[in-house]
C-alpha cells in the first residue's frame, strides 16, 4: 500500500463559494486542491445573467490567494423569467459554462427557481443549440412526497422527459444520492452525466440520525439508506466517465446549522480530495480516483484536462473544530476527527 498518491490536479464540478467576506476562506480552500470549479449561482439575489456572473466572477478572482490561478467557471441560475437571449449572452461571454435548474423551494436559496420546467423549454432549446450544459438539482418539492423519495420522483416525473425532449442538451444530474439516479444515468444517452459528493460516498442516513441528530451531516438531497451509498460507491469507482467529482461543498455559519431549524449543506472544500481518497481507498479503488476527479468532468464539459499534478500523503491529521467563515465560523465535516490523507503543499 503506497503512502503517496500523485494525480493530475482535480477540478470541482459543483461548489458553493458564497459571497462577501466568506470568499477569502472558501476560495483559498478550494484553490489549494482544485484548478477549476463550477460555481453555484444560488446567491441572494441569484446570478441571473452574464453581467451578474461577471461581477461575481470578479469578486471570486479578487479573493484568490496571491499567485493562485484558480479558474471559477460561472453558472446562470434559471428562473421563470430567464430568456433565450440571456443564454446566448452567457454563452458568448466565454466565462459562463452552464445554467442551473433549481426547482423553486427545493433547497437553499431556491425561492427564485423555476416553478414549472415547461416554463423554460424555450430556454432549454437555446441551451441545446448553443451548447450550454443544464445542471439540475433533481428533487421534486411536492409536500406529499417524502423527502427521501424526492430524487426518484424527479427522475420519473421530470428528468426522463427533459432528456428525451432535448436529445442534444448536455445534462448534469447534480449531487446524486440514490441507486435510482445511478441507474438512470447509466441507461441515459452520453449527453447525461452526474456529480457525486464525498459525503454521499462516505455516509448514509444512519450517520446523521443514530445516537443523536447531527446537523452537520444534513444536506440536500438528504443522505439516504446504505444501499444507496453502496450504489454511489460502485458508480464513482466504476471507471464510467459519466460520473465525476462535484463536492457540493456548501458552508453555513455554525449557528445556522446548530439550530432548531438548521440549514442544509456540508462544508467539505477544506479537505475535499482527501475525503474522496478515503472513500475510494475503502473500496480498494485508489487507482480510480484520478479519472473520477481529474479527467471525466473536463471531458464532459469539453474543456482541456489540467496538466499540473498534486500529491496526497498518508499522514493522519485532526480536522479543526471550526474554521473562519467571514466574521463567523463554519464547522467542517469531520470536525475534531482524523483524516487519513493530507494534501502535500508547497511542493
Ligand atoms: N446541498 C445543500 O444542502 N445545500 C446547498 C444547495 C444545494 O446544492 O442544493 C446550499 O447552497 O447550501
Ligand atoms: Zn442542490
Ligand atoms: Zn449544491
Amino acid at each position: 500500500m503506497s503512502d503517496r498518491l500523485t494525480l493530475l490536479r482535480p477540478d470541482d464540478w459543483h461548489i458553493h463559494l458564497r459571497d462577501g467576506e466568506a470568499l477569502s476562506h472558501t476560495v483559498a480552500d478550494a484553490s489549494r486542491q482544485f484548478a477549476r470549479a463550477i460555481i453555484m449561482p444560488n446567491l441572494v439575489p441569484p446570478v441571473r445573467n452574464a453581467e451578474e456572473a461577471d461581477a461575481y466572477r470578479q469578486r471570486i478572482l479578487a479573493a484568490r490567494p496571491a499567485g493562485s490561478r484558480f479558474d471559477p467557471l460561472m453558472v446562470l441560475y434559471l428562473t421563470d423569467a430567464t430568456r433565450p437571449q440571456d443564454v446566448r449572452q452567457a454563452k458568448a461571454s466565454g466565462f459562463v459554462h452552464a445554467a442551473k435548474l433549481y426547482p423553486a423551494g427545493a433547497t437553499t436559496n431556491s425561492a427564485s427557481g423555476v416553478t414549472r420546467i415547461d416554463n423554460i423549454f424555450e430556454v432549454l432549446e437555446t441551451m441545446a443549440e448553443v451548447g450550454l450544459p443544464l445542471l439540475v438539482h433533481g428533487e421534486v418539492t411536492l409536500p406529499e412526497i417524502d423527502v427521501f423519495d424526492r430524487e426518484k420522483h424527479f427522475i420519473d416525473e421530470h428528468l426522463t422527459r427533459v432528456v428525451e425532449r432535448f436529445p442534444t442538451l448536455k445534462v448534469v444530474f447534480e449531487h446524486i444520492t440514490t441507486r435510482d439516479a445511478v441507474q438512470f444515468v447509466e441507461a441515459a444517452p452520453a449527453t447525461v452525466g452526474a456529480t457525486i459528493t464525498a459525503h454521499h460516498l462516505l455516509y448514509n442516513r444512519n450517520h446523521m440520525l443514530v445516537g443523536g441528530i447531527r446537523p452537520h451531516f444534513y444536506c440536500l438531497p438528504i443522505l439516504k439508506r446504505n444501499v444507496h451509498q453502496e450504489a454511489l460507491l460502485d458508480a464513482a469507482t466504476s471507471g464510467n466517465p459519466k460520473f465525476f467529482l462535484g463536492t457540493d461543498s456548501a458552508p453555513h455559519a455554525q449557528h445556522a446549522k446548530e439550530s432548531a431549524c438548521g440549514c442544509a449543506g456540508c462544508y467539505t472544500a477544506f479537505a475535499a480530495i482527501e475525503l474522496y481518497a478515503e472513500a475510494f481507498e475503502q473500496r480498494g479503488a485508489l487507482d480510480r480516483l484520478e479519472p473520477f476527479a481529474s479527467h471525466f468532468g473536463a471531458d464532459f464539459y469539453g474543456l482541456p484536462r489540467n496538466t499540473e499534478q498534486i500529491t496526497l500523503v498518508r499522514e493522519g491529521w485532526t480536522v479543526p473544530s471550526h474554521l473562519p467563515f467571514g466574521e463567523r465560523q463554519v464547522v467542517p465535516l469531520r470536525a475534531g476527527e482524523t483524516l487519513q490523507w493530507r494534501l502535500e503543499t508547497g511542493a
Side-chain angles (χ1 to χ4, degrees):
M1 204 162 41
S2 171
D3 289 339
R4 291 173 68 80
L5 180 66
T6 295
L7 58 153
L8 217 53
R9 187 176 283 281
D11 303 302
D12 185 351
W13 301 98
H14 182 135
I15 194 169
H16 301 267
L17 295 177
R18 310 307 190 203
D19 206 352
E21 298 289 303
L23 284 178
S24 63
H25 305 291
T26 56
V27 174
D29 280 353
S31 63
R32 210 177 306 122
Q33 54 206 298
F34 299 115
R36 298 169 288 199
I38 279 280
I39 311 299
M40 286 296 135
N42 60 334
L43 307 179
V44 186
V47 178
R48 288 158 297 194
N49 52 50
E51 200 181 329
E52 289 172 347
D54 183 35
Y56 185 31
R57 180 167 176 270
Q58 295 307 327
R59 297 195 295 277
I60 295 167
L61 292 176
R64 291 186 303 185
S68 166
R69 282 177 292 150
F70 177 70
D71 186 8
L73 310 176
M74 308 310 291
V75 177
L76 288 197
Y77 181 116
L78 296 171
T79 74
D80 287 343
T82 306
R83 298 156 306 171
Q85 77 188 73
D86 296 318
V87 169
R88 292 187 193 282
Q89 281 167 7
K91 178 70 184 181
S93 77
F95 52 75
V96 175
H97 290 265
K100 179 81 189 267
L101 169 65
Y102 289 101
T107 187
T108 307
N109 299 343
S110 62
S112 323
V114 172
T115 54
R116 270 189 76 229
I117 294 181
D118 303 61
N119 292 350
I120 59 159
F121 271 11
E122 212 188 326
V123 165
L124 298 184
E125 195 74 62
T126 308
M127 288 171 59
E129 182 199 320
V130 303
L132 197 71
L134 173 70
L135 316 184
V136 182
H137 180 108
E139 288 193 289
V140 297
T141 56
L142 297 172
E144 65 269 28
I145 304 296
D146 190 275
V147 69
F148 291 97
D149 299 334
R150 290 180 171 197
E151 188 172 272
K152 166 141 177 55
H153 276 257
F154 188 87
I155 298 168
D156 297 344
E157 303 299 322
H158 304 294
L159 198 52
T160 303
R161 199 160 55 92
V162 168
V163 168
E164 274 171 21
R165 167 107 184 211
F166 302 99
T168 59
L169 178 66
K170 278 191 196 174
V171 177
V172 184
F173 194 175
E174 298 291 338
H175 48 42
I176 58 169
T177 63
T178 57
R179 184 172 52 192
D180 311 275
V182 168
Q183 289 170 348
F184 172 80
V185 172
E186 283 172 347
T191 47
V192 179
T195 53
I196 304 180
T197 78
H199 47 286
H200 288 97
L201 293 176
L202 289 165
Y203 302 112
N204 60 60
R205 65 195 196 183
N206 276 6
H207 296 97
M208 178 175 60
L209 295 171
V210 172
I213 185 162
R214 294 181 174 74
H216 297 290
F217 284 117
Y218 175 63
C219 64
L220 289 170
I222 198 159
L223 292 172
K224 305 297 191 296
R225 55 169 73 239
N226 62 354
V227 293
H228 296 292
Q229 180 194 4
E230 291 295 318
L232 296 172
L233 281 162
D234 286 344
T237 60
S238 67
N240 183 336
K242 288 177 156 184
F243 300 103
F244 45 87
L245 185 156
T247 63
D248 193 22
S249 176
H252 292 273
Q254 181 172 10
H255 71 91
K257 295 282 298 173
E258 297 174 7
S259 157
C261 183
C263 293
C266 301
Y267 191 56
T268 53
F270 71 101
I273 194 67
E274 294 95 323
L275 289 162
Y276 280 105
E278 238 176 81
F280 276 64
E281 184 161 42
Q282 284 171 17
R283 278 289 168 119
L286 270 179
D287 58 321
R288 295 283 168 89
L289 181 62
E290 182 179 48
F292 173 83
S294 316
H295 299 170
F296 297 157
D299 297 352
F300 185 89
Y301 276 82
L303 293 168
R305 294 181 184 175
N306 298 318
T307 49
E308 285 172 33
Q309 293 183 317
I310 62 165
T311 296
L312 298 176
V313 288
R314 189 191 305 280
E315 187 184 299
W317 60 288
T318 305
V319 176
S321 59
H322 52 263
L323 294 169
F325 183 56
E327 284 161 14
R328 304 187 184 272
Q329 56 190 32
V330 60
V331 177
L333 197 80
R334 292 282 273 280
E337 293 173 43
T338 304
L339 286 187
Q340 304 305 322
W341 290 92
R342 180 196 274 284
L343 182 69
E344 196 173 66
T345 49

